[in-house]
Amino acid sequence: MTRILTNHIATMTEMREPHKVLERSGGKPVAIMKNSRCVGYFVPTEATLQEEPRYATLDEVMEAIAQTRAQTQPVLDYLKDK
């Protein structure tokens, strides 16, 4: 079974009027179905990145790792003692 990556779907027939599909989706991606199978996605401009993504600095990555370690270490210690 294929997982559909959006809550909005449209049939190939509905794609004859794409403006209606866009209005219904509220700016979210739409899975396009044909014979009960997903054949692709219709992605409105609003659902795409409008600017270049910002990359995390090394300091930000190291801080995130430290926070994750602080949160998970008590659980690991508990499991180790069992």
Side-chain angles (χ1 to χ4, degrees), residues 1-57:
M1 177 188 260
T2 302
R3 179 176 283 183
I4 296 177
L5 305 174
T6 181
N7 294 333
H8 304 280
I9 63 170
T11 64
M12 293 295 283
T13 304
E14 290 173 302
M15 290 305 294
R16 291 179 183 162
E17 298 179 285
H19 61 283
K20 289 184 180 180
V21 173
L22 287 174
E23 287 173 10
R24 245 189 8 242
S25 75
K28 305 282 190 207
V30 179
I32 308 304
M33 308 297 282
K34 181 177 182 181
N35 298 328
S36 299
R37 290 187 51 228
C38 182
V39 294
Y41 291 91
F42 189 52
V43 182
T45 303
E46 306 93 79
T48 62
L49 291 176
Q50 300 300 314
E51 50 190 62
E52 285 294 313
R54 185 185 75 79
Y55 296 98
T57 64

Side-chain angles (χ1 to χ4, degrees), residues 65-74:
I65 291 171
Q67 288 177 2
T68 302
R69 185 176 293 136
Q71 291 172 356
T72 57
Q73 195 60 50

